Amino acid sequence: MLQRIRLSVTHAFGLYQRRGLQTSTRATADFVRIVEVGPRDGLQNEKITVPLETKIELVDRLAKTGVQTIEAGSFVHPKWVPQMANSSKILDHILSTPSPSSSPNPMTYQFLLPNVKGLENYFATHDAYSSSQTSPSPAQHKYEASIFMAATESFSQCNTNCSIAESLTRFTPLFTTAKQRNTPVRAYISVALGCPYEGPDVSPNKVADLALELLELGAYEVSVADTTGMGTVPRTRKLLQTLKAAGIRTEDLAFHFHDTYGQALVNTVVALEEGIRVFDSAVGGLGGCPYSPGATGNVATEDLVHCLHSLGVETGVDLDAMAEIGSWISGVLGRKNESRAGKALLARIEAVKKTDI
């Protein structure tokens, strides 16, 4: 109880001020902010080595679609995730690249940081770029760090080789340093609706308790992830209700659905009805989890945008452009394009072109 009282006080006097403009954007009932995770969460599990040039082109093309936030890479040890080994070079590129003229707002780029060492390497890249500049950078971007936790002990041990409590302790100095560098931190809670080791019945109370801990540590937003795609409508709704009952505002939450069992969009609608206005997705349905056997990709950004637009919800995302990117990156990777809406849209566009000839 004391913990929740402290959190309420923090919200009342701190979080609203810190979130600033972002809070007012999220309060708009008919607008959803999409966090595009394709360049990091989408590519990290690819078996082939994706060339740096392809990763940079993916980030640059996504930045021109109207999406406001892109998770661009991860400063994780290449031994564990070789695909992310050149994330510092992607950050270097972003630091020197102006925001697209088509974007009315500054782009926000996130990088996943698994520990303090990752944070140090991340800031080292920032500092090296700054010291090399003789004039102000042309880029007017925003930068954020992201971290991940697990809702079950089994997944935490397999993914991070430590318990949930130990993981929270390890992240405490990261939050302290990030705050000193004025860098917002976003937190993920993995396997919140199903664990590959403990099954689908993950305790919503444990998820709520962990979200409270992360918000108290200083996370500005907690993305609740259905990493395995096991989430169903009843359990998604129950989790949302439990989070609310714990005193957590919907403004401080995002949801991250995988489409393993074809439930991502219906669960999105449930979350939308409960007040969630931020969702993660990956272009072309890229993704999967190396620590979650059988889990398929993230919900495709094209499918998510199509669903939201059909409900009268604005996203600011150019669906045609996103569909083209999904088709392109799927072809480059030699994999199936997992976006049904994207494929249907491109087929319709192609049919119209043929009738115009």
Side-chain angles (χ1 to χ4, degrees):
M1 178 61 72
L2 179 59
Q3 183 185 55
R4 293 178 183 175
I5 292 173
R6 290 203 309 271
L7 184 63
S8 297
V9 173
T10 301
H11 283 336
F13 295 100
L15 287 181
Y16 278 116
Q17 184 176 11
R18 186 168 73 245
R19 294 171 68 90
L21 179 60
Q22 195 172 67
T23 301
S24 60
T25 300
R26 297 190 53 172
T28 305
D30 61 352
F31 182 86
V32 160
R33 178 168 63 88
I34 291 176
V35 178
E36 171 58 56
V37 301
R40 196 282 300 177
D41 195 26
L43 295 182
Q44 69 173 2
N45 204 36
E46 287 296 317
K47 298 298 185 291
I48 65 168
T49 299
V50 182
L52 174 63
E53 294 76 15
T54 299
K55 295 177 183 178
I56 288 175
E57 183 176 355
L58 176 60
V59 170
D60 286 348
R61 290 181 66 168
L62 288 168
K64 297 175 183 177
T65 63
V67 70
Q68 296 180 13
T69 306
I70 298 174
E71 188 182 45
S74 171
F75 281 74
V76 63
H77 196 290
K79 174 184 177 181
W80 303 114
V81 188
Q83 198 69 261
M84 294 291 106
N86 47 19
S87 287
S88 61
K89 294 180 180 179
I90 296 173
L91 176 56
D92 267 331
H93 170 78
I94 294 170
L95 286 165
S96 61
T97 305
S99 293
S101 58
S102 59
S103 176
N105 301 304
M107 285 297 304
T108 297
Y109 292 97
Q110 295 175 354
F111 285 83
L112 186 71
L113 310 175
N115 47 42
V116 172
K117 182 62 177 177
L119 183 74
E120 291 172 350
N121 292 338
Y122 170 74
F123 283 134
T125 303
H126 270 280
D127 294 342
Y129 176 81
S130 298
S131 63
S132 69
Q133 299 303 297
T134 57
S135 59
S137 168
Q140 300 297 320
H141 310 309
K142 295 180 180 179
Y143 298 92
E144 297 177 354
S146 57
I147 66 166
F148 61 91
M149 299 279 300
T152 67
E153 291 292 348
S154 298
F155 196 83
S156 183
Q157 290 288 350
C158 291
N159 200 1
T160 62
N161 296 311
C162 67
S163 68
I164 294 173
E166 290 169 335
S167 189
L168 281 167
T169 300
R170 290 181 184 183
F171 278 128
T172 300
L174 184 149
F175 276 100
T176 300
T177 303
K179 183 177 181 180
Q180 292 169 348
R181 296 289 298 256
N182 296 314
T183 299
V185 178
R186 186 181 199 245
Y188 291 98
I189 299 179
S190 300
V191 297
L193 284 161
C195 173
Y197 310 109
E198 298 185 20
D201 296 321
V202 176
S203 169
N205 292 306
K206 287 185 178 180
V207 177
D209 288 343
L210 185 53
L212 284 166
E213 294 274 9
L214 290 166
L215 289 168
E216 286 191 321
L217 278 175
Y220 82 89
E221 182 174 272
V222 175
S223 180
V224 181
D226 182 14
T227 312
T228 62
M230 292 181 184
T232 61
V233 166
R235 286 192 287 110
T236 298
R237 182 171 285 117
K238 176 63 176 177
L239 175 56
L240 283 156
Q241 292 170 346
T242 302
L243 290 164
K244 287 183 180 180
I248 301 171
R249 304 180 308 165
T250 54
E251 295 97 316
D252 295 325
L253 295 171
F255 266 72
H256 180 122
F257 291 111
H258 283 234
D259 206 28
T260 310
Y261 296 95
Q263 298 298 296
L265 290 180
V266 68
N267 288 333
T268 294
V269 173
V270 171
L272 192 70
E273 290 174 342
E274 294 289 337
I276 301 300
R277 292 296 180 268
V278 180
F279 294 94
D280 303 348
S281 61
V283 64
L286 297 176
C289 178
Y291 300 97
S292 180
T296 55
N298 298 277
V299 61
T301 303
E302 305 94 303
D303 295 351
L304 177 61
V305 171
H306 179 269
C307 175
L308 293 170
H309 288 184
S310 73
L311 296 172
V313 177
E314 298 178 10
T315 64
V317 175
D318 183 334
L319 181 54
D320 290 5
M322 192 64 75
E324 290 175 359
I325 297 170
S327 177
W328 164 74
I329 191 61
S330 297
V332 168
L333 298 175
R335 59 173 287 162
K336 178 184 176 183
N337 182 354
E338 298 293 346
S339 171
R340 286 167 291 182
K343 289 185 290 186
L345 179 62
L346 291 177
R348 189 176 65 189
I349 292 173
E350 188 63 28
V352 170
K353 287 181 180 178
K354 290 180 178 180
T355 59
D356 290 341
I357 295 177

